[in-house]
Amino acid sequence: VQLQASGGGLVQAGGSLRLSCAASGRTFSKKSMGWFRQAPGKEREFVAAVNWSGSNINYVDSVKGRFTISRDNAKNTLYLQMNSLKPEDTAVYYCAADPRRWPNVGYNYWGQGTLVTVSS
């Protein structure tokens, strides 16, 4: 599985962005997927995960009610809709696939990051 994240950019606080992660490989639809982020000077943190069918979703507390993870298996694409963005959401966002343990441990595949900058 190869992953390609896109959709980052500069947005004002309170605004929205939608990140996409295009996956190649026939087994995409069978794998759980997730989003992580890494802010400057901080460790990478888990943001959200979705299982293969979309029936099981998990979020870090700081984004609950603002971010929505989803997937379209027909298009081999993972999404992260980010609303009500805050300056503290500024980070490089990474998509990942196939965790060893749900929802946030031991992902086997990683995309390159896409930078999200939220101005105050």
Side-chain angles (χ1 to χ4, degrees):
V1 175
Q2 291 185 324
L3 306 173
Q4 179 79 29
S6 62
L10 174 63
V11 63
Q12 289 188 332
S16 298
L17 280 175
R18 188 175 80 157
L19 305 183
S20 298
C21 176
S24 62
R26 293 177 294 175
T27 59
F28 166 82
S29 63
K30 304 299 185 184
K31 299 185 185 300
S32 293
M33 305 284 294
W35 288 98
F36 290 74
R37 65 186 180 185
Q38 187 167 19
K42 295 187 177 181
E43 292 186 353
R44 186 172 61 193
E45 69 166 345
F46 168 77
V47 175
V50 59
N51 73 335
W52 69 275
S53 68
S55 63
N56 194 6
I57 289 175
N58 189 279
Y59 297 100
V60 67
D61 285 347
S62 60
V63 308
K64 286 180 180 177
R66 300 189 299 122
F67 290 12
T68 302
I69 189 172
S70 63
R71 65 190 296 163
D72 185 336
N73 288 339
K75 296 182 178 179
N76 276 11
T77 304
L78 174 74
Y79 302 101
L80 186 68
Q81 178 66 44
M82 304 185 296
N83 299 329
S84 302
L85 282 161
K86 304 175 181 180
E88 52 263 44
D89 294 318
T90 294
V92 177
Y93 283 71
Y94 299 90
C95 57
D98 193 24
R100 187 171 68 247
R101 188 171 76 241
W102 174 264
N104 61 345
V105 177
Y107 277 74
N108 286 308
Y109 304 96
W110 291 85
Q112 94 297 350
T114 186
L115 177 62
V116 173
T117 304
V118 184
S119 62
S120 57

